[in-house]
Structure formats: C-alpha cells, structure tokens
PDB file of all heavy atoms in Angstrom:
ATOM      1  N   GLY M   1       0.777  -1.230   0.000  1.00  0.00           N
ATOM      2  CA  GLY M   1       0.000   0.000   0.000  1.00  0.00           C
ATOM      3  C   GLY M   1       0.807   1.277   0.000  1.00  0.00           C
ATOM      4  O   GLY M   1       0.306   2.329   0.409  1.00  0.00           O
ATOM      5  N   LEU M   2       2.056   1.202  -0.501  1.00  0.00           N
ATOM      6  CA  LEU M   2       2.928   2.378  -0.533  1.00  0.00           C
ATOM      7  C   LEU M   2       3.424   2.649  -1.954  1.00  0.00           C
ATOM      8  O   LEU M   2       4.631   2.579  -2.228  1.00  0.00           O
ATOM      9  CB  LEU M   2       4.131   2.178   0.402  1.00  0.00           C
ATOM     10  CG  LEU M   2       3.853   1.870   1.869  1.00  0.00           C
ATOM     11  CD1 LEU M   2       5.163   1.582   2.595  1.00  0.00           C
ATOM     12  CD2 LEU M   2       3.109   3.015   2.530  1.00  0.00           C
ATOM     13  N   PRO M   3       2.522   2.956  -2.885  1.00  0.00           N
ATOM     14  CA  PRO M   3       2.994   3.207  -4.258  1.00  0.00           C
ATOM     15  C   PRO M   3       3.932   4.405  -4.315  1.00  0.00           C
ATOM     16  O   PRO M   3       3.767   5.391  -3.584  1.00  0.00           O
ATOM     17  CB  PRO M   3       1.700   3.477  -5.031  1.00  0.00           C
ATOM     18  CG  PRO M   3       0.717   3.927  -3.993  1.00  0.00           C
ATOM     19  CD  PRO M   3       1.073   3.148  -2.757  1.00  0.00           C
ATOM     20  N   ILE M   4       4.930   4.302  -5.176  1.00  0.00           N
ATOM     21  CA  ILE M   4       5.905   5.377  -5.359  1.00  0.00           C
ATOM     22  C   ILE M   4       5.281   6.494  -6.188  1.00  0.00           C
ATOM     23  O   ILE M   4       4.577   6.246  -7.172  1.00  0.00           O
ATOM     24  CB  ILE M   4       7.165   4.834  -6.039  1.00  0.00           C
ATOM     25  CG1 ILE M   4       7.873   3.826  -5.113  1.00  0.00           C
ATOM     26  CG2 ILE M   4       8.122   5.959  -6.419  1.00  0.00           C
ATOM     27  CD1 ILE M   4       8.996   3.057  -5.776  1.00  0.00           C
ATOM     28  N   LYS M   5       5.536   7.710  -5.780  1.00  0.00           N
ATOM     29  CA  LYS M   5       5.006   8.875  -6.493  1.00  0.00           C
ATOM     30  C   LYS M   5       5.359   8.800  -7.978  1.00  0.00           C
ATOM     31  O   LYS M   5       6.502   8.588  -8.349  1.00  0.00           O
ATOM     32  CB  LYS M   5       5.571  10.160  -5.885  1.00  0.00           C
ATOM     33  CG  LYS M   5       5.065  11.439  -6.543  1.00  0.00           C
ATOM     34  CD  LYS M   5       5.678  12.667  -5.865  1.00  0.00           C
ATOM     35  CE  LYS M   5       5.181  13.942  -6.507  1.00  0.00           C
ATOM     36  NZ  LYS M   5       5.654  14.112  -7.903  1.00  0.00           N
ATOM     37  N   GLY M   6       4.338   8.961  -8.814  1.00  0.00           N
ATOM     38  CA  GLY M   6       4.530   8.975 -10.263  1.00  0.00           C
ATOM     39  C   GLY M   6       4.499   7.623 -10.933  1.00  0.00           C
ATOM     40  O   GLY M   6       4.469   7.544 -12.168  1.00  0.00           O
ATOM     41  N   ASP M   7       4.454   6.544 -10.155  1.00  0.00           N
ATOM     42  CA  ASP M   7       4.545   5.187 -10.724  1.00  0.00           C
ATOM     43  C   ASP M   7       3.152   4.631 -11.009  1.00  0.00           C
ATOM     44  O   ASP M   7       2.630   3.797 -10.267  1.00  0.00           O
ATOM     45  CB  ASP M   7       5.316   4.287  -9.768  1.00  0.00           C
ATOM     46  CG  ASP M   7       5.811   3.012 -10.441  1.00  0.00           C
ATOM     47  OD1 ASP M   7       5.538   2.826 -11.649  1.00  0.00           O
ATOM     48  OD2 ASP M   7       6.476   2.205  -9.767  1.00  0.00           O
ATOM     49  N   LEU M   8       2.563   5.076 -12.110  1.00  0.00           N
ATOM     50  CA  LEU M   8       1.209   4.652 -12.471  1.00  0.00           C
ATOM     51  C   LEU M   8       1.111   3.140 -12.620  1.00  0.00           C
ATOM     52  O   LEU M   8       0.083   2.537 -12.282  1.00  0.00           O
ATOM     53  CB  LEU M   8       0.782   5.322 -13.784  1.00  0.00           C
ATOM     54  CG  LEU M   8       0.573   6.840 -13.767  1.00  0.00           C
ATOM     55  CD1 LEU M   8       0.195   7.322 -15.154  1.00  0.00           C
ATOM     56  CD2 LEU M   8      -0.492   7.232 -12.747  1.00  0.00           C
ATOM     57  N   LYS M   9       2.164   2.513 -13.117  1.00  0.00           N
ATOM     58  CA  LYS M   9       2.150   1.061 -13.345  1.00  0.00           C
ATOM     59  C   LYS M   9       1.920   0.292 -12.047  1.00  0.00           C
ATOM     60  O   LYS M   9       1.350  -0.800 -12.055  1.00  0.00           O
ATOM     61  CB  LYS M   9       3.457   0.630 -14.006  1.00  0.00           C
ATOM     62  CG  LYS M   9       3.546  -0.854 -14.316  1.00  0.00           C
ATOM     63  CD  LYS M   9       4.764  -1.186 -15.169  1.00  0.00           C
ATOM     64  CE  LYS M   9       4.561  -0.734 -16.600  1.00  0.00           C
ATOM     65  NZ  LYS M   9       5.614  -1.259 -17.516  1.00  0.00           N
ATOM     66  N   TYR M  10       2.349   0.867 -10.934  1.00  0.00           N
ATOM     67  CA  TYR M  10       2.223   0.173  -9.655  1.00  0.00           C
ATOM     68  C   TYR M  10       1.348   0.930  -8.655  1.00  0.00           C
ATOM     69  O   TYR M  10       1.569   0.871  -7.452  1.00  0.00           O
ATOM     70  CB  TYR M  10       3.618  -0.096  -9.073  1.00  0.00           C
ATOM     71  CG  TYR M  10       4.358  -1.149  -9.862  1.00  0.00           C
ATOM     72  CD1 TYR M  10       5.256  -0.793 -10.859  1.00  0.00           C
ATOM     73  CD2 TYR M  10       4.138  -2.507  -9.649  1.00  0.00           C
ATOM     74  CE1 TYR M  10       5.935  -1.755 -11.608  1.00  0.00           C
ATOM     75  CE2 TYR M  10       4.797  -3.478 -10.383  1.00  0.00           C
ATOM     76  CZ  TYR M  10       5.691  -3.095 -11.359  1.00  0.00           C
ATOM     77  OH  TYR M  10       6.350  -4.061 -12.108  1.00  0.00           O
ATOM     78  N   GLY M  11       0.344   1.640  -9.188  1.00  0.00           N
ATOM     79  CA  GLY M  11      -0.704   2.147  -8.316  1.00  0.00           C
ATOM     80  C   GLY M  11      -0.654   3.600  -7.906  1.00  0.00           C
ATOM     81  O   GLY M  11      -1.497   4.034  -7.103  1.00  0.00           O
ATOM     82  N   ALA M  12       0.275   4.380  -8.408  1.00  0.00           N
ATOM     83  CA  ALA M  12       0.306   5.808  -8.069  1.00  0.00           C
ATOM     84  C   ALA M  12      -0.941   6.498  -8.623  1.00  0.00           C
ATOM     85  O   ALA M  12      -1.487   6.105  -9.654  1.00  0.00           O
ATOM     86  CB  ALA M  12       1.562   6.469  -8.624  1.00  0.00           C
ATOM     87  N   SER M  13      -1.387   7.537  -7.951  1.00  0.00           N
ATOM     88  CA  SER M  13      -2.628   8.217  -8.340  1.00  0.00           C
ATOM     89  C   SER M  13      -2.444   9.123  -9.549  1.00  0.00           C
ATOM     90  O   SER M  13      -3.395   9.381 -10.277  1.00  0.00           O
ATOM     91  CB  SER M  13      -3.164   9.034  -7.161  1.00  0.00           C
ATOM     92  OG  SER M  13      -2.208   9.993  -6.733  1.00  0.00           O
ATOM     93  N   ARG M  14      -1.222   9.586  -9.785  1.00  0.00           N
ATOM     94  CA  ARG M  14      -0.966  10.448 -10.945  1.00  0.00           C
ATOM     95  C   ARG M  14       0.499  10.312 -11.355  1.00  0.00           C
ATOM     96  O   ARG M  14       1.334   9.884 -10.558  1.00  0.00           O
ATOM     97  CB  ARG M  14      -1.307  11.913 -10.642  1.00  0.00           C
ATOM     98  CG  ARG M  14      -0.528  12.509  -9.500  1.00  0.00           C
ATOM     99  CD  ARG M  14      -0.920  13.966  -9.255  1.00  0.00           C
ATOM    100  NE  ARG M  14      -2.304  14.065  -8.873  1.00  0.00           N
ATOM    101  CZ  ARG M  14      -2.747  13.956  -7.619  1.00  0.00           C
ATOM    102  NH1 ARG M  14      -1.883  13.703  -6.635  1.00  0.00           N
ATOM    103  NH2 ARG M  14      -4.020  14.061  -7.346  1.00  0.00           N
ATOM    104  N   SER M  15       0.779  10.708 -12.580  1.00  0.00           N
ATOM    105  CA  SER M  15       2.148  10.618 -13.092  1.00  0.00           C
ATOM    106  C   SER M  15       2.932  11.869 -12.713  1.00  0.00           C
ATOM    107  O   SER M  15       2.357  12.906 -12.363  1.00  0.00           O
ATOM    108  CB  SER M  15       2.137  10.467 -14.616  1.00  0.00           C
ATOM    109  OG  SER M  15       1.515  11.595 -15.218  1.00  0.00           O
ATOM    110  N   ASN M  16       4.262  11.772 -12.770  1.00  0.00           N
ATOM    111  CA  ASN M  16       5.108  12.950 -12.634  1.00  0.00           C
ATOM    112  C   ASN M  16       5.175  13.675 -13.967  1.00  0.00           C
ATOM    113  O   ASN M  16       5.146  13.040 -15.030  1.00  0.00           O
ATOM    114  CB  ASN M  16       6.515  12.549 -12.187  1.00  0.00           C
ATOM    115  CG  ASN M  16       6.570  12.091 -10.740  1.00  0.00           C
ATOM    116  OD1 ASN M  16       5.671  12.396  -9.954  1.00  0.00           O
ATOM    117  ND2 ASN M  16       7.619  11.365 -10.378  1.00  0.00           N
ATOM    118  N   PRO M  17       5.267  15.000 -13.959  1.00  0.00           N
ATOM    119  CA  PRO M  17       5.262  15.765 -15.216  1.00  0.00           C
ATOM    120  C   PRO M  17       6.325  15.342 -16.219  1.00  0.00           C
ATOM    121  O   PRO M  17       6.101  15.371 -17.425  1.00  0.00           O
ATOM    122  CB  PRO M  17       5.493  17.218 -14.737  1.00  0.00           C
ATOM    123  CG  PRO M  17       4.972  17.240 -13.344  1.00  0.00           C
ATOM    124  CD  PRO M  17       5.278  15.884 -12.775  1.00  0.00           C
ATOM    125  N   ASN M  18       7.496  14.920 -15.736  1.00  0.00           N
ATOM    126  CA  ASN M  18       8.585  14.551 -16.650  1.00  0.00           C
ATOM    127  C   ASN M  18       8.624  13.060 -16.972  1.00  0.00           C
ATOM    128  O   ASN M  18       9.561  12.581 -17.613  1.00  0.00           O
ATOM    129  CB  ASN M  18       9.932  14.996 -16.081  1.00  0.00           C
ATOM    130  CG  ASN M  18      10.280  14.309 -14.762  1.00  0.00           C
ATOM    131  OD1 ASN M  18       9.477  13.531 -14.232  1.00  0.00           O
ATOM    132  ND2 ASN M  18      11.454  14.593 -14.225  1.00  0.00           N
ATOM    133  N   GLY M  19       7.626  12.308 -16.516  1.00  0.00           N
ATOM    134  CA  GLY M  19       7.572  10.876 -16.805  1.00  0.00           C
ATOM    135  C   GLY M  19       8.431  10.022 -15.894  1.00  0.00           C
ATOM    136  O   GLY M  19       8.482   8.794 -16.065  1.00  0.00           O
ATOM    137  N   SER M  20       9.086  10.634 -14.935  1.00  0.00           N
ATOM    138  CA  SER M  20       9.911   9.875 -13.993  1.00  0.00           C
ATOM    139  C   SER M  20       9.035   9.241 -12.925  1.00  0.00           C
ATOM    140  O   SER M  20       7.832   9.514 -12.838  1.00  0.00           O
ATOM    141  CB  SER M  20      10.924  10.801 -13.313  1.00  0.00           C
ATOM    142  OG  SER M  20      10.256  11.689 -12.418  1.00  0.00           O
ATOM    143  N   ILE M  21       9.644   8.393 -12.109  1.00  0.00           N
ATOM    144  CA  ILE M  21       9.028   7.984 -10.860  1.00  0.00           C
ATOM    145  C   ILE M  21       9.971   8.423  -9.751  1.00  0.00           C
ATOM    146  O   ILE M  21      11.181   8.562  -9.965  1.00  0.00           O
ATOM    147  CB  ILE M  21       8.740   6.469 -10.794  1.00  0.00           C
ATOM    148  CG1 ILE M  21      10.034   5.650 -10.815  1.00  0.00           C
ATOM    149  CG2 ILE M  21       7.820   6.040 -11.929  1.00  0.00           C
ATOM    150  CD1 ILE M  21       9.825   4.154 -10.575  1.00  0.00           C
ATOM    151  N   SER M  22       9.437   8.648  -8.566  1.00  0.00           N
ATOM    152  CA  SER M  22      10.241   9.231  -7.486  1.00  0.00           C
ATOM    153  C   SER M  22      10.994   8.153  -6.711  1.00  0.00           C
ATOM    154  O   SER M  22      10.783   7.946  -5.510  1.00  0.00           O
ATOM    155  CB  SER M  22       9.351  10.065  -6.566  1.00  0.00           C
ATOM    156  OG  SER M  22       8.765  11.126  -7.291  1.00  0.00           O
ATOM    157  N   LEU M  23      11.874   7.481  -7.442  1.00  0.00           N
ATOM    158  CA  LEU M  23      12.758   6.458  -6.888  1.00  0.00           C
ATOM    159  C   LEU M  23      14.168   6.800  -7.333  1.00  0.00           C
ATOM    160  O   LEU M  23      14.419   7.003  -8.522  1.00  0.00           O
ATOM    161  CB  LEU M  23      12.346   5.074  -7.386  1.00  0.00           C
ATOM    162  CG  LEU M  23      13.177   3.885  -6.896  1.00  0.00           C
ATOM    163  CD1 LEU M  23      13.097   3.743  -5.373  1.00  0.00           C
ATOM    164  CD2 LEU M  23      12.709   2.590  -7.569  1.00  0.00           C
ATOM    165  N   HIS M  24      15.089   6.858  -6.363  1.00  0.00           N
ATOM    166  CA  HIS M  24      16.445   7.329  -6.631  1.00  0.00           C
ATOM    167  C   HIS M  24      17.459   6.378  -6.006  1.00  0.00           C
ATOM    168  O   HIS M  24      17.388   6.087  -4.806  1.00  0.00           O
ATOM    169  CB  HIS M  24      16.598   8.736  -6.033  1.00  0.00           C
ATOM    170  CG  HIS M  24      17.943   9.359  -6.227  1.00  0.00           C
ATOM    171  ND1 HIS M  24      18.420   9.730  -7.470  1.00  0.00           N
ATOM    172  CD2 HIS M  24      18.912   9.701  -5.324  1.00  0.00           C
ATOM    173  CE1 HIS M  24      19.626  10.272  -7.327  1.00  0.00           C
ATOM    174  NE2 HIS M  24      19.947  10.255  -6.042  1.00  0.00           N
ATOM    175  N   ALA M  25      18.380   5.882  -6.830  1.00  0.00           N
ATOM    176  CA  ALA M  25      19.474   5.040  -6.323  1.00  0.00           C
ATOM    177  C   ALA M  25      20.460   5.945  -5.616  1.00  0.00           C
ATOM    178  O   ALA M  25      21.324   6.572  -6.229  1.00  0.00           O
ATOM    179  CB  ALA M  25      20.146   4.297  -7.479  1.00  0.00           C
ATOM    180  N   ARG M  26      20.339   6.024  -4.297  1.00  0.00           N
ATOM    181  CA  ARG M  26      20.985   7.065  -3.508  1.00  0.00           C
ATOM    182  C   ARG M  26      22.446   6.775  -3.160  1.00  0.00           C
ATOM    183  O   ARG M  26      23.293   7.667  -3.218  1.00  0.00           O
ATOM    184  CB  ARG M  26      20.174   7.271  -2.218  1.00  0.00           C
ATOM    185  CG  ARG M  26      20.775   8.215  -1.206  1.00  0.00           C
ATOM    186  CD  ARG M  26      20.849   9.640  -1.697  1.00  0.00           C
ATOM    187  NE  ARG M  26      21.247  10.543  -0.613  1.00  0.00           N
ATOM    188  CZ  ARG M  26      21.468  11.840  -0.772  1.00  0.00           C
ATOM    189  NH1 ARG M  26      21.317  12.396  -1.965  1.00  0.00           N
ATOM    190  NH2 ARG M  26      21.807  12.607   0.259  1.00  0.00           N
ATOM    191  N   ALA M  27      22.746   5.551  -2.748  1.00  0.00           N
ATOM    192  CA  ALA M  27      24.106   5.263  -2.271  1.00  0.00           C
ATOM    193  C   ALA M  27      24.506   3.833  -2.590  1.00  0.00           C
ATOM    194  O   ALA M  27      23.658   2.956  -2.780  1.00  0.00           O
ATOM    195  CB  ALA M  27      24.191   5.507  -0.757  1.00  0.00           C
ATOM    196  N   ILE M  28      25.820   3.623  -2.634  1.00  0.00           N
ATOM    197  CA  ILE M  28      26.343   2.281  -2.888  1.00  0.00           C
ATOM    198  C   ILE M  28      27.649   2.109  -2.116  1.00  0.00           C
ATOM    199  O   ILE M  28      28.430   3.064  -1.967  1.00  0.00           O
ATOM    200  CB  ILE M  28      26.553   2.049  -4.405  1.00  0.00           C
ATOM    201  CG1 ILE M  28      26.751   0.570  -4.716  1.00  0.00           C
ATOM    202  CG2 ILE M  28      27.707   2.881  -4.944  1.00  0.00           C
ATOM    203  CD1 ILE M  28      26.596   0.240  -6.196  1.00  0.00           C
ATOM    204  N   ASP M  29      27.855   0.904  -1.588  1.00  0.00           N
ATOM    205  CA  ASP M  29      29.068   0.564  -0.841  1.00  0.00           C
ATOM    206  C   ASP M  29      29.590  -0.778  -1.326  1.00  0.00           C
ATOM    207  O   ASP M  29      28.816  -1.732  -1.452  1.00  0.00           O
ATOM    208  CB  ASP M  29      28.771   0.456   0.660  1.00  0.00           C
ATOM    209  CG  ASP M  29      28.455   1.785   1.291  1.00  0.00           C
ATOM    210  OD1 ASP M  29      27.275   2.212   1.235  1.00  0.00           O
ATOM    211  OD2 ASP M  29      29.365   2.397   1.854  1.00  0.00           O
ATOM    212  N   PHE M  30      30.893  -0.860  -1.565  1.00  0.00           N
ATOM    213  CA  PHE M  30      31.513  -2.135  -1.934  1.00  0.00           C
ATOM    214  C   PHE M  30      33.020  -2.007  -1.803  1.00  0.00           C
ATOM    215  O   PHE M  30      33.564  -0.902  -1.711  1.00  0.00           O
ATOM    216  CB  PHE M  30      31.126  -2.546  -3.364  1.00  0.00           C
ATOM    217  CG  PHE M  30      31.547  -1.562  -4.425  1.00  0.00           C
ATOM    218  CD1 PHE M  30      32.782  -1.664  -5.058  1.00  0.00           C
ATOM    219  CD2 PHE M  30      30.688  -0.532  -4.809  1.00  0.00           C
ATOM    220  CE1 PHE M  30      33.177  -0.760  -6.039  1.00  0.00           C
ATOM    221  CE2 PHE M  30      31.064   0.382  -5.787  1.00  0.00           C
ATOM    222  CZ  PHE M  30      32.307   0.270  -6.400  1.00  0.00           C
ATOM    223  N   ILE M  31      33.683  -3.132  -1.786  1.00  0.00           N
ATOM    224  CA  ILE M  31      35.148  -3.159  -1.790  1.00  0.00           C
ATOM    225  C   ILE M  31      35.626  -3.136  -3.240  1.00  0.00           C
ATOM    226  O   ILE M  31      35.193  -3.941  -4.059  1.00  0.00           O
ATOM    227  CB  ILE M  31      35.681  -4.421  -1.067  1.00  0.00           C
ATOM    228  CG1 ILE M  31      35.187  -4.453   0.383  1.00  0.00           C
ATOM    229  CG2 ILE M  31      37.200  -4.462  -1.122  1.00  0.00           C
ATOM    230  CD1 ILE M  31      35.631  -3.273   1.228  1.00  0.00           C
ATOM    231  N   HIS M  32      36.498  -2.212  -3.537  1.00  0.00           N
ATOM    232  CA  HIS M  32      37.000  -2.049  -4.907  1.00  0.00           C
ATOM    233  C   HIS M  32      37.589  -3.376  -5.395  1.00  0.00           C
ATOM    234  O   HIS M  32      38.355  -4.028  -4.672  1.00  0.00           O
ATOM    235  CB  HIS M  32      38.069  -0.960  -4.945  1.00  0.00           C
ATOM    236  CG  HIS M  32      38.423  -0.487  -6.304  1.00  0.00           C
ATOM    237  ND1 HIS M  32      39.172  -1.242  -7.194  1.00  0.00           N
ATOM    238  CD2 HIS M  32      38.132   0.662  -6.958  1.00  0.00           C
ATOM    239  CE1 HIS M  32      39.338  -0.570  -8.316  1.00  0.00           C
ATOM    240  NE2 HIS M  32      38.711   0.599  -8.213  1.00  0.00           N
ATOM    241  N   PRO M  33      37.248  -3.790  -6.619  1.00  0.00           N
ATOM    242  CA  PRO M  33      37.683  -5.106  -7.097  1.00  0.00           C
ATOM    243  C   PRO M  33      39.181  -5.234  -7.313  1.00  0.00           C
ATOM    244  O   PRO M  33      39.700  -6.355  -7.385  1.00  0.00           O
ATOM    245  CB  PRO M  33      36.935  -5.242  -8.436  1.00  0.00           C
ATOM    246  CG  PRO M  33      36.705  -3.838  -8.885  1.00  0.00           C
ATOM    247  CD  PRO M  33      36.434  -3.073  -7.619  1.00  0.00           C
ATOM    248  N   VAL M  34      39.893  -4.122  -7.408  1.00  0.00           N
ATOM    249  CA  VAL M  34      41.339  -4.179  -7.657  1.00  0.00           C
ATOM    250  C   VAL M  34      42.133  -3.615  -6.473  1.00  0.00           C
ATOM    251  O   VAL M  34      43.036  -4.272  -5.951  1.00  0.00           O
ATOM    252  CB  VAL M  34      41.709  -3.426  -8.955  1.00  0.00           C
ATOM    253  CG1 VAL M  34      43.219  -3.456  -9.179  1.00  0.00           C
ATOM    254  CG2 VAL M  34      40.973  -4.037 -10.146  1.00  0.00           C
ATOM    255  N   THR M  35      41.786  -2.415  -6.035  1.00  0.00           N
ATOM    256  CA  THR M  35      42.541  -1.774  -4.948  1.00  0.00           C
ATOM    257  C   THR M  35      42.177  -2.321  -3.572  1.00  0.00           C
ATOM    258  O   THR M  35      42.919  -2.129  -2.611  1.00  0.00           O
ATOM    259  CB  THR M  35      42.310  -0.257  -4.943  1.00  0.00           C
ATOM    260  OG1 THR M  35      40.946   0.022  -4.572  1.00  0.00           O
ATOM    261  CG2 THR M  35      42.598   0.340  -6.315  1.00  0.00           C
ATOM    262  N   LYS M  36      41.013  -2.955  -3.472  1.00  0.00           N
ATOM    263  CA  LYS M  36      40.498  -3.524  -2.217  1.00  0.00           C
ATOM    264  C   LYS M  36      40.117  -2.450  -1.187  1.00  0.00           C
ATOM    265  O   LYS M  36      39.896  -2.756  -0.023  1.00  0.00           O
ATOM    266  CB  LYS M  36      41.490  -4.502  -1.582  1.00  0.00           C
ATOM    267  CG  LYS M  36      41.987  -5.585  -2.533  1.00  0.00           C
ATOM    268  CD  LYS M  36      40.836  -6.367  -3.160  1.00  0.00           C
ATOM    269  CE  LYS M  36      41.344  -7.435  -4.126  1.00  0.00           C
ATOM    270  NZ  LYS M  36      40.240  -8.146  -4.814  1.00  0.00           N
ATOM    271  N   LYS M  37      40.008  -1.206  -1.626  1.00  0.00           N
ATOM    272  CA  LYS M  37      39.576  -0.131  -0.726  1.00  0.00           C
ATOM    273  C   LYS M  37      38.045  -0.045  -0.707  1.00  0.00           C
ATOM    274  O   LYS M  37      37.386  -0.398  -1.687  1.00  0.00           O
ATOM    275  CB  LYS M  37      40.163   1.208  -1.180  1.00  0.00           C
ATOM    276  CG  LYS M  37      41.676   1.298  -1.041  1.00  0.00           C
ATOM    277  CD  LYS M  37      42.177   2.660  -1.482  1.00  0.00           C
ATOM    278  CE  LYS M  37      43.691   2.773  -1.329  1.00  0.00           C
ATOM    279  NZ  LYS M  37      44.200   4.102  -1.769  1.00  0.00           N
ATOM    280  N   LEU M  38      37.499   0.445   0.416  1.00  0.00           N
ATOM    281  CA  LEU M  38      36.057   0.628   0.510  1.00  0.00           C
ATOM    282  C   LEU M  38      35.630   1.810  -0.350  1.00  0.00           C
ATOM    283  O   LEU M  38      36.178   2.911  -0.238  1.00  0.00           O
ATOM    284  CB  LEU M  38      35.646   0.876   1.964  1.00  0.00           C
ATOM    285  CG  LEU M  38      34.168   1.219   2.194  1.00  0.00           C
ATOM    286  CD1 LEU M  38      33.275   0.041   1.803  1.00  0.00           C
ATOM    287  CD2 LEU M  38      33.923   1.626   3.644  1.00  0.00           C
ATOM    288  N   ILE M  39      34.654   1.574  -1.199  1.00  0.00           N
ATOM    289  CA  ILE M  39      34.078   2.633  -2.026  1.00  0.00           C
ATOM    290  C   ILE M  39      32.693   2.959  -1.473  1.00  0.00           C
ATOM    291  O   ILE M  39      31.838   2.069  -1.353  1.00  0.00           O
ATOM    292  CB  ILE M  39      33.968   2.204  -3.503  1.00  0.00           C
ATOM    293  CG1 ILE M  39      35.340   1.816  -4.058  1.00  0.00           C
ATOM    294  CG2 ILE M  39      33.325   3.305  -4.343  1.00  0.00           C
ATOM    295  CD1 ILE M  39      36.342   2.942  -4.101  1.00  0.00           C
ATOM    296  N   HIS M  40      32.474   4.206  -1.134  1.00  0.00           N
ATOM    297  CA  HIS M  40      31.175   4.670  -0.642  1.00  0.00           C
ATOM    298  C   HIS M  40      30.774   5.886  -1.464  1.00  0.00           C
ATOM    299  O   HIS M  40      31.460   6.909  -1.440  1.00  0.00           O
ATOM    300  CB  HIS M  40      31.235   5.029   0.836  1.00  0.00           C
ATOM    301  CG  HIS M  40      29.990   5.674   1.351  1.00  0.00           C
ATOM    302  ND1 HIS M  40      28.782   5.005   1.434  1.00  0.00           N
ATOM    303  CD2 HIS M  40      29.747   6.943   1.796  1.00  0.00           C
ATOM    304  CE1 HIS M  40      27.865   5.818   1.916  1.00  0.00           C
ATOM    305  NE2 HIS M  40      28.422   6.996   2.142  1.00  0.00           N
ATOM    306  N   ILE M  41      29.689   5.770  -2.208  1.00  0.00           N
ATOM    307  CA  ILE M  41      29.261   6.829  -3.116  1.00  0.00           C
ATOM    308  C   ILE M  41      27.832   7.238  -2.775  1.00  0.00           C
ATOM    309  O   ILE M  41      26.961   6.375  -2.561  1.00  0.00           O
ATOM    310  CB  ILE M  41      29.315   6.370  -4.590  1.00  0.00           C
ATOM    311  CG1 ILE M  41      30.725   5.891  -4.961  1.00  0.00           C
ATOM    312  CG2 ILE M  41      28.847   7.478  -5.527  1.00  0.00           C
ATOM    313  CD1 ILE M  41      31.777   6.967  -4.946  1.00  0.00           C
ATOM    314  N   ILE M  42      27.587   8.547  -2.755  1.00  0.00           N
ATOM    315  CA  ILE M  42      26.234   9.082  -2.580  1.00  0.00           C
ATOM    316  C   ILE M  42      25.890   9.926  -3.792  1.00  0.00           C
ATOM    317  O   ILE M  42      26.689  10.765  -4.223  1.00  0.00           O
ATOM    318  CB  ILE M  42      26.131   9.936  -1.299  1.00  0.00           C
ATOM    319  CG1 ILE M  42      26.354   9.074  -0.056  1.00  0.00           C
ATOM    320  CG2 ILE M  42      24.766  10.625  -1.217  1.00  0.00           C
ATOM    321  CD1 ILE M  42      26.343   9.847   1.235  1.00  0.00           C
ATOM    322  N   ALA M  43      24.711   9.698  -4.360  1.00  0.00           N
ATOM    323  CA  ALA M  43      24.270  10.439  -5.539  1.00  0.00           C
ATOM    324  C   ALA M  43      23.322  11.562  -5.132  1.00  0.00           C
ATOM    325  O   ALA M  43      22.295  11.303  -4.484  1.00  0.00           O
ATOM    326  CB  ALA M  43      23.564   9.510  -6.521  1.00  0.00           C
ATOM    327  N   PRO M  44      23.635  12.814  -5.486  1.00  0.00           N
ATOM    328  CA  PRO M  44      22.692  13.907  -5.228  1.00  0.00           C
ATOM    329  C   PRO M  44      21.336  13.617  -5.879  1.00  0.00           C
ATOM    330  O   PRO M  44      21.265  12.952  -6.914  1.00  0.00           O
ATOM    331  CB  PRO M  44      23.367  15.114  -5.885  1.00  0.00           C
ATOM    332  CG  PRO M  44      24.821  14.760  -5.950  1.00  0.00           C
ATOM    333  CD  PRO M  44      24.860  13.274  -6.158  1.00  0.00           C
ATOM    334  N   VAL M  45      20.277  14.110  -5.258  1.00  0.00           N
ATOM    335  CA  VAL M  45      18.932  13.901  -5.811  1.00  0.00           C
ATOM    336  C   VAL M  45      18.782  14.730  -7.092  1.00  0.00           C
ATOM    337  O   VAL M  45      19.574  15.639  -7.349  1.00  0.00           O
ATOM    338  CB  VAL M  45      17.850  14.286  -4.788  1.00  0.00           C
ATOM    339  CG1 VAL M  45      17.930  13.384  -3.566  1.00  0.00           C
ATOM    340  CG2 VAL M  45      17.964  15.756  -4.381  1.00  0.00           C
TER     341      VAL M  45
END
C-alpha cells in the first residue's frame, strides 16, 4: 500500500510531469575489485 510517487504502473494516483518515478538510487558501498579499498558513493537527488 505504498505506491511510489509517479509510478502509475504500480498504483500511483498520478504521473510525474517529466515521466519519472520518485525512486532514486541514492548510495552504494563495496570493496574495490582491484585496490580492495572501501568505495562509498552518494548520488545527489
């Protein structure tokens, strides 16, 4: 019962003007495959 804003396909009440849905891949963490250092990235909205 928690449809994402703008996601008509999954039950949102209306679309977003630009056709997007309000879902954002915000951050990611992993160990670098070569250097073995921790990578922590945050994406601005």
Side-chain angles (χ1 to χ4, degrees):
L2 303 175
I4 295 170
K5 181 180 180 293
D7 197 359
L8 293 178
K9 181 171 286 191
Y10 289 96
S13 59
R14 60 180 63 87
S15 61
N16 288 340
N18 63 357
S20 70
I21 65 173
S22 299
L23 180 62
H24 180 67
R26 174 66 171 176
I28 194 165
D29 291 85
F30 60 90
I31 301 299
H32 194 287
V34 178
T35 68
K36 308 305 179 184
K37 293 181 179 180
L38 174 64
I39 302 296
H40 173 66
I41 303 294
I42 295 177
V45 297

